[in-house]
Amino acid sequence: MDQDMVVLARVRLLSANRRVVRGAEGLWIYRVLAEVEPKAYGSKLAYVLVEASASPLVRELPERRLALLDEAVEVAKALGASNPYRAKMLAALAARQRELEGRQVEPLASDGREYQLALQGELQERA
């Protein structure tokens, strides 16, 4: 990773003066920072990716929405179970599953079981 890009991403994050930077700028910032510090920025990247998939800009682009959700799932999988933002990980998995169900597409074999287990855990936590 180019250290200049990392520094620029950190500067933009600090200058945004918001808890979570959203939109295209947030995607860029968190993608760059999650590569160097996945534990610190992975959950925010997953959150922003799920949020971007629901954007009106991609409403009519199902492949783009699915690509954003697939990326969110990959980022979420990299987070540990002890991560305090595990709920965001589960939200990414649930959003991807809803997208797949809406498109009548088979879920990936590698994460189908993980999704079911994650969803069961989320439902038990909410009860």
Side-chain angles (χ1 to χ4, degrees):
M1 173 58 58
D2 182 14
Q3 291 303 311
D4 290 338
M5 296 299 281
V6 173
V7 171
L8 181 59
R10 289 182 195 278
V11 168
R12 285 192 179 173
L13 180 63
L14 290 171
S15 65
N17 199 25
R18 285 179 273 167
R19 189 172 189 159
V20 176
V21 181
R22 292 175 167 82
E25 183 178 26
L27 282 173
W28 180 80
I29 289 170
Y30 295 125
R31 280 177 175 150
V32 169
L33 295 177
E35 283 188 39
V36 293
E37 293 184 56
K39 289 183 180 180
Y41 296 103
S43 57
K44 287 188 180 184
L45 176 57
Y47 178 82
V48 172
L49 284 164
V50 170
E51 191 174 74
S53 73
S55 167
L57 297 173
V58 295
R59 182 174 292 140
E60 302 300 322
L61 303 169
E63 276 73 32
R64 182 67 184 138
R65 276 197 328 266
L66 188 57
L68 289 167
L69 292 171
D70 284 342
E71 185 180 352
V73 169
E74 291 304 313
V75 170
K77 282 182 184 179
L79 297 175
S82 63
N83 189 301
Y85 298 101
R86 187 168 185 266
K88 288 183 177 126
M89 176 183 79
L90 295 172
L93 293 169
R96 182 178 183 281
Q97 185 65 23
R98 283 192 304 272
E99 180 69 20
L100 289 173
E101 288 170 357
R103 293 184 59 198
Q104 307 268 331
V105 176
E106 290 296 315
L108 295 175
S110 64
D111 70 333
R113 180 179 158 95
E114 292 173 24
Y115 167 75
Q116 292 298 329
L117 294 173
L119 186 58
Q120 287 173 358
E122 175 70 10
L123 293 175
Q124 288 174 354
E125 287 176 13
R126 289 184 181 183

